[in-house]
Amino acid sequence: MAHTSLVFRARAALGQLRSLPARLRHGLTHAQGTTAPPPLNVTILASHAEYLRHRERTQSRARARDAAERALLDARDSFRVDGFCYPCGAPSAFEVDYRYGSESEGVRIPNWRETLICECCGLNNRLRASVELFDRFCRAQRTDRIYITEQTTPMYRWLVDRYAQVTGSEYLGDRIPFGAVNAQGVRNESLTQLSFPDATFDRMISFDVLEHIPDVAKALRECHRCLKPGGHLLLSVPFVVSAEHTLVRARVSANGEVEHLLPPEYHGDPLSSDGCLCFYHFGWDLLEQLRASGFGEARVLLYWSRELGYLGGEQLQIFATK
Ligand SMILES: [Zn+2]
C-alpha cells in the first residue's frame, strides 16, 4: 500500500483544548493561547518496505532537518528552543539538556525525544506529540471511556482534565491485587492480565510501557480484548525505525530468571528509583504482532516539526484499530 501523507491544517486549538487546570496546579500563570497550532505533516506507513521507499524519497529533507537541529545546539548544559506547544495551545519555550544524550563527530547531541520540555505544561517532545496525535487520530469524544497505562503523571492529569471517563493505572506488582486501588488512589494493573471486562474502552493509550513487558503478544491481546470494536490504540515505544525486526535485549527463561542478551538498559520508573528493565527495542515487526493480536489496522505515524518542537529526526508513534 502506498504511503499516505496527511497535512493537518491549522485549526482552532482553543475549541478543542478546554480548561487546563493541571497547569494552574503546577503554578503556571500564562493564559491559554488563542493561536492555531502550526500544521503537522504526518506520514502513515504500514511496513518496513514502505519505510525504505519513504526514506529513499526523503533523503534531502532528512539532511535539511538534521542541519536545522544542529543549528539549535548550544555549548551550555541546557538551553531553550522556542516553538508552539500543542497541549498548551500557545507559543512556548522548550527546555533542552544533554541527559541521556549521545555524541556524533565530537558534537554532543541531546536525547531530543525525551527532552524539549515545555516550560508551561511540563510535557516533553514525545508526550506533547502524543497529545497531538491522540487528538488527530483517536478523535475521542468527551464521554468516551479512555484507558491509559499510567496514573501518576502529567499526561494522566491532562486527560482527566479533558475527558469525563479516564481510567489510569500503574504496575504495583503483588503489593495489592490487580484492579484494586492503593491508599494513594493508584490503581494496580498488569498489561498482560487487565482486570477490565471485554470491550470496555473506546480508546487505549500506552506510552513507553510495552518494552518492559517480556510477553508482548499477551499484552497486545489484552489491549485488543479490552477495546470496543472500532476502538483505537495509541502506543509509543523505543522503536528503531531502520530495523525490520525487534531487537531482544533481555528475556525471561523457563525458570523465571531474566537473561540479558545485551547490556541491561533501565528506564525511569515514576514509582521506583530502581528503574525498569527494557526487554525490547522494537522494529517494524511490532505491526505484525499487533495484527496477529487481532487488530485490523496497525500503522506507524512518522512526524517532525521544528515549530512544534518534535525534533530528533523523524519521530514516530504507533496507531492501531480493533
Ligand atoms: Zn506546553
Side-chain angles (χ1 to χ4, degrees), residues 23 85-90 92 94 117-123 128:
R23 286 167 62 201
C85 177
Y86 184 90
C88 287
S92 187
F94 307 130
I117 296 165
C118 172
E119 65 173 11
C120 188
C121 66
L123 298 177
R128 287 184 289 102

Side-chain angles (χ1 to χ4, degrees), residues 194-206:
L194 294 170
S195 68
F196 311 108
D198 294 358
T200 297
F201 297 107
D202 299 283
R203 306 287 182 264
M204 292 177 78
I205 305 171
S206 185

Side-chain angles (χ1 to χ4, degrees), residues 154-175:
M155 189 71 198
Y156 170 76
R157 290 191 295 273
W158 189 89
L159 284 167
V160 166
D161 288 340
R162 195 165 174 221
Y163 296 97
Q165 299 194 77
V166 178
T167 302
S169 67
E170 298 284 347
Y171 178 72
L172 305 175
D174 56 9
R175 281 175 271 182

